[in-house]
Amino acid sequence: ERDFLSAKAEIDGRILGMMLGEDPATMQLADGGHLMEPLVRADEVVLDSATDALISDMVSSHKEVLRLVEGSKLGSVVRYGRSPILLFWGPSGHGKTRKAHAVASEMGKRVLLASHQRILREGLLPLVRDAAICNAILVIDEAHEVFGSMFASYRGMTGTILSETERFDTPIILC
Protein backbone atom coordinates (compact mmCIF):
# COMPACT_ATOMS: atom_id res chain seq x y z
CA GLU A 1 0.00 0.00 0.00
CA ARG A 2 1.42 3.41 -1.00
CA ASP A 3 1.52 6.30 1.38
CA PHE A 4 -0.30 9.29 -0.13
CA LEU A 5 2.09 11.74 1.52
CA SER A 6 5.10 10.18 -0.20
CA ALA A 7 3.51 10.25 -3.67
CA LYS A 8 5.26 12.37 -6.29
CA ALA A 9 3.25 14.96 -8.22
CA GLU A 10 4.44 17.24 -11.01
CA ILE A 11 2.63 20.54 -11.44
CA ASP A 12 3.21 22.88 -14.36
CA GLY A 13 4.86 26.10 -13.17
CA ARG A 14 2.06 28.25 -14.58
CA ILE A 15 -0.59 26.26 -12.71
CA LEU A 16 1.43 26.48 -9.50
CA GLY A 17 1.83 30.24 -10.01
CA MET A 18 -1.93 30.63 -10.37
CA MET A 19 -2.50 28.54 -7.24
CA LEU A 20 -0.19 30.92 -5.39
CA GLY A 21 -1.99 34.01 -6.70
CA GLU A 22 0.36 35.07 -9.50
CA ASP A 23 -1.21 37.03 -12.37
CA PRO A 24 -1.34 34.68 -15.38
CA ALA A 25 -0.45 37.53 -17.73
CA THR A 26 2.99 37.83 -16.12
CA MET A 27 3.82 34.12 -16.39
CA GLN A 28 6.07 32.53 -18.98
CA LEU A 29 3.90 31.23 -21.82
CA ALA A 30 4.49 28.16 -23.93
CA ASP A 31 7.00 28.96 -26.68
CA GLY A 32 5.38 30.30 -29.82
CA GLY A 33 2.59 32.22 -28.13
CA HIS A 34 2.40 35.99 -27.81
CA LEU A 35 -0.05 37.38 -25.24
CA MET A 36 -1.38 40.89 -25.73
CA GLU A 37 -4.32 43.15 -25.07
CA PRO A 38 -6.66 43.51 -28.07
CA LEU A 39 -5.34 46.12 -30.49
CA VAL A 40 -8.74 47.30 -31.79
CA ARG A 41 -12.42 47.45 -30.83
CA ALA A 42 -15.22 46.07 -32.99
CA ASP A 43 -16.28 49.56 -34.10
CA GLU A 44 -12.77 50.13 -35.47
CA VAL A 45 -13.00 47.28 -37.98
CA VAL A 46 -14.92 47.78 -41.21
CA LEU A 47 -16.75 44.73 -42.57
CA ASP A 48 -19.84 44.29 -44.66
CA SER A 49 -22.88 44.66 -42.42
CA ALA A 50 -24.02 41.02 -42.74
CA THR A 51 -20.64 39.60 -41.69
CA ASP A 52 -20.27 42.14 -38.90
CA ALA A 53 -23.75 41.33 -37.57
CA LEU A 54 -23.07 37.58 -37.72
CA ILE A 55 -19.86 37.90 -35.68
CA SER A 56 -21.45 40.31 -33.20
CA ASP A 57 -24.44 37.98 -32.75
CA MET A 58 -22.08 35.06 -32.11
CA VAL A 59 -20.27 36.98 -29.37
CA SER A 60 -23.48 38.08 -27.62
CA SER A 61 -25.08 34.63 -28.03
CA HIS A 62 -22.01 32.97 -26.57
CA LYS A 63 -22.13 35.26 -23.52
CA GLU A 64 -25.82 34.47 -23.04
CA VAL A 65 -25.29 30.70 -23.38
CA LEU A 66 -22.49 30.78 -20.80
CA ARG A 67 -24.66 32.83 -18.43
CA LEU A 68 -27.57 30.38 -18.76
CA VAL A 69 -25.40 27.27 -18.43
CA GLU A 70 -23.50 28.56 -15.39
CA GLY A 71 -26.73 29.71 -13.72
CA SER A 72 -28.39 26.29 -13.97
CA LYS A 73 -27.80 22.65 -13.15
CA LEU A 74 -26.69 22.24 -16.75
CA GLY A 75 -23.36 23.85 -15.80
CA SER A 76 -22.39 20.84 -13.71
CA VAL A 77 -23.36 18.44 -16.52
CA VAL A 78 -21.89 20.23 -19.56
CA ARG A 79 -18.24 20.60 -18.55
CA TYR A 80 -16.64 21.07 -21.98
CA GLY A 81 -17.31 22.26 -25.51
CA ARG A 82 -18.71 25.62 -24.46
CA SER A 83 -16.45 27.88 -26.48
CA PRO A 84 -16.74 28.84 -30.11
CA ILE A 85 -14.22 28.01 -32.79
CA LEU A 86 -14.42 30.57 -35.59
CA LEU A 87 -12.85 30.45 -39.03
CA PHE A 88 -12.10 33.80 -40.66
CA TRP A 89 -11.43 33.18 -44.33
CA GLY A 90 -10.04 35.52 -46.97
CA PRO A 91 -6.92 36.71 -48.75
CA SER A 92 -3.91 37.99 -46.82
CA GLY A 93 -4.22 41.57 -45.68
CA HIS A 94 -8.03 41.64 -45.50
CA GLY A 95 -8.27 42.10 -41.71
CA LYS A 96 -8.84 38.59 -40.34
CA THR A 97 -6.38 38.96 -37.47
CA ARG A 98 -7.58 42.52 -36.83
CA LYS A 99 -11.17 41.27 -36.50
CA ALA A 100 -9.96 38.54 -34.13
CA HIS A 101 -8.58 41.32 -31.91
CA ALA A 102 -11.95 43.08 -32.08
CA VAL A 103 -13.76 39.88 -31.06
CA ALA A 104 -11.40 39.51 -28.09
CA SER A 105 -12.17 43.10 -27.11
CA GLU A 106 -15.93 42.44 -27.30
CA MET A 107 -15.52 39.32 -25.18
CA GLY A 108 -13.40 41.14 -22.59
CA LYS A 109 -10.42 38.85 -23.22
CA ARG A 110 -6.78 39.13 -24.17
CA VAL A 111 -5.34 37.74 -27.40
CA LEU A 112 -2.90 34.84 -27.48
CA LEU A 113 -1.46 34.88 -30.98
CA ALA A 114 -0.02 31.48 -31.85
CA SER A 115 2.72 30.76 -34.31
CA HIS A 116 1.95 27.96 -36.72
CA GLN A 117 5.53 26.67 -36.42
CA ARG A 118 5.03 26.10 -32.68
CA ILE A 119 1.74 24.29 -33.19
CA LEU A 120 3.22 22.02 -35.84
CA ARG A 121 6.13 21.22 -33.54
CA GLU A 122 4.25 20.58 -30.27
CA GLY A 123 0.51 20.62 -30.91
CA LEU A 124 -2.36 22.86 -29.83
CA LEU A 125 -2.95 21.87 -26.23
CA PRO A 126 -0.22 23.91 -24.47
CA LEU A 127 -1.43 27.06 -26.24
CA VAL A 128 -5.12 26.33 -25.58
CA ARG A 129 -4.25 25.80 -21.91
CA ASP A 130 -2.23 29.05 -21.80
CA ALA A 131 -5.10 30.97 -23.38
CA ALA A 132 -7.51 29.59 -20.78
CA ILE A 133 -5.16 30.48 -17.91
CA CYS A 134 -4.63 34.03 -19.25
CA ASN A 135 -8.31 34.75 -20.02
CA ALA A 136 -7.48 35.03 -23.71
CA ILE A 137 -8.82 33.86 -27.02
CA LEU A 138 -6.40 31.75 -29.03
CA VAL A 139 -5.78 33.23 -32.46
CA ILE A 140 -4.12 30.89 -34.93
CA ASP A 141 -2.77 33.00 -37.76
CA GLU A 142 -2.02 31.19 -41.03
CA ALA A 143 -4.30 28.36 -39.86
CA HIS A 144 -4.20 26.71 -43.27
CA GLU A 145 -0.49 26.02 -42.65
CA VAL A 146 -1.28 24.38 -39.32
CA PHE A 147 -4.26 22.28 -40.22
CA GLY A 148 -3.11 21.30 -43.68
CA SER A 149 0.05 19.85 -42.16
CA MET A 150 -1.66 18.40 -39.09
CA PHE A 151 -4.35 16.65 -41.07
CA ALA A 152 -1.78 15.17 -43.43
CA SER A 153 0.37 13.98 -40.50
CA TYR A 154 -2.40 12.76 -38.20
CA ARG A 155 -4.89 11.06 -40.49
CA GLY A 156 -7.60 9.45 -38.43
CA MET A 157 -6.72 11.53 -35.36
CA THR A 158 -8.21 14.85 -36.48
CA GLY A 159 -11.34 14.40 -34.34
CA THR A 160 -9.24 13.52 -31.31
CA ILE A 161 -6.99 16.55 -31.76
CA LEU A 162 -9.91 18.95 -32.11
CA SER A 163 -11.95 17.37 -29.28
CA GLU A 164 -8.99 17.87 -26.93
CA THR A 165 -9.36 21.62 -27.43
CA GLU A 166 -12.89 21.38 -25.97
CA ARG A 167 -11.52 20.56 -22.53
CA PHE A 168 -10.83 24.27 -21.99
CA ASP A 169 -13.30 27.14 -22.22
CA THR A 170 -11.10 28.92 -24.73
CA PRO A 171 -12.51 30.61 -27.81
CA ILE A 172 -10.34 29.85 -30.84
CA ILE A 173 -10.18 31.91 -34.02
CA LEU A 174 -8.54 30.47 -37.10
CA CYS A 175 -7.29 33.14 -39.50
Side-chain angles (χ1 to χ4, degrees), residues 40-46 52 98-99 102 105-106:
V40 295
R41 295 184 320 267
D43 61 353
E44 297 174 314
V45 178
V46 178
D52 197 40
R98 185 174 174 86
K99 186 59 182 181
S105 177
E106 273 192 72

Side-chain angles (χ1 to χ4, degrees), residues 31-110:
D31 292 339
H34 180 70
L35 183 66
M36 64 188 87
E37 294 298 323
L39 299 175
V40 295
R41 295 184 320 267
D43 61 353
E44 297 174 314
V45 178
V46 178
L47 290 174
D48 66 271
S49 58
T51 302
D52 197 40
L54 184 65
I55 294 169
S56 186
D57 286 349
M58 184 285 307
V59 170
S60 59
S61 296
H62 179 255
K63 288 177 184 176
E64 181 66 12
V65 166
L66 289 180
R67 188 186 67 73
L68 291 172
V69 167
E70 291 302 322
S72 70
K73 291 180 183 178
L74 192 56
S76 63
V77 176
V78 179
R79 303 301 301 165
Y80 64 93
R82 298 186 213 179
S83 290
I85 297 177
L86 303 172
L87 171 63
F88 291 173
W89 179 87
S92 293
H94 280 224
K96 299 178 296 293
T97 304
R98 185 174 174 86
K99 186 59 182 181
H101 278 263
V103 168
S105 177
E106 273 192 72
M107 295 180 92
K109 295 187 174 286
R110 296 177 175 115

Side-chain angles (χ1 to χ4, degrees), residues 5 14 30 66 74 120 173:
L5 295 176
R14 291 166 290 217
L66 289 180
L74 192 56
L120 292 174
I173 299 180

Side-chain angles (χ1 to χ4, degrees), residues 85-142:
I85 297 177
L86 303 172
L87 171 63
F88 291 173
W89 179 87
S92 293
H94 280 224
K96 299 178 296 293
T97 304
R98 185 174 174 86
K99 186 59 182 181
H101 278 263
V103 168
S105 177
E106 273 192 72
M107 295 180 92
K109 295 187 174 286
R110 296 177 175 115
V111 172
L112 179 58
L113 189 60
S115 83
H116 65 279
Q117 295 92 349
R118 164 55 169 68
I119 294 169
L120 292 174
R121 190 173 61 247
E122 296 182 35
L124 281 171
L125 291 182
L127 287 163
V128 172
R129 182 193 60 219
D130 283 351
I133 289 171
C134 295
N135 189 32
I137 64 168
L138 178 59
V139 177
I140 303 173
D141 211 2
E142 306 298 331

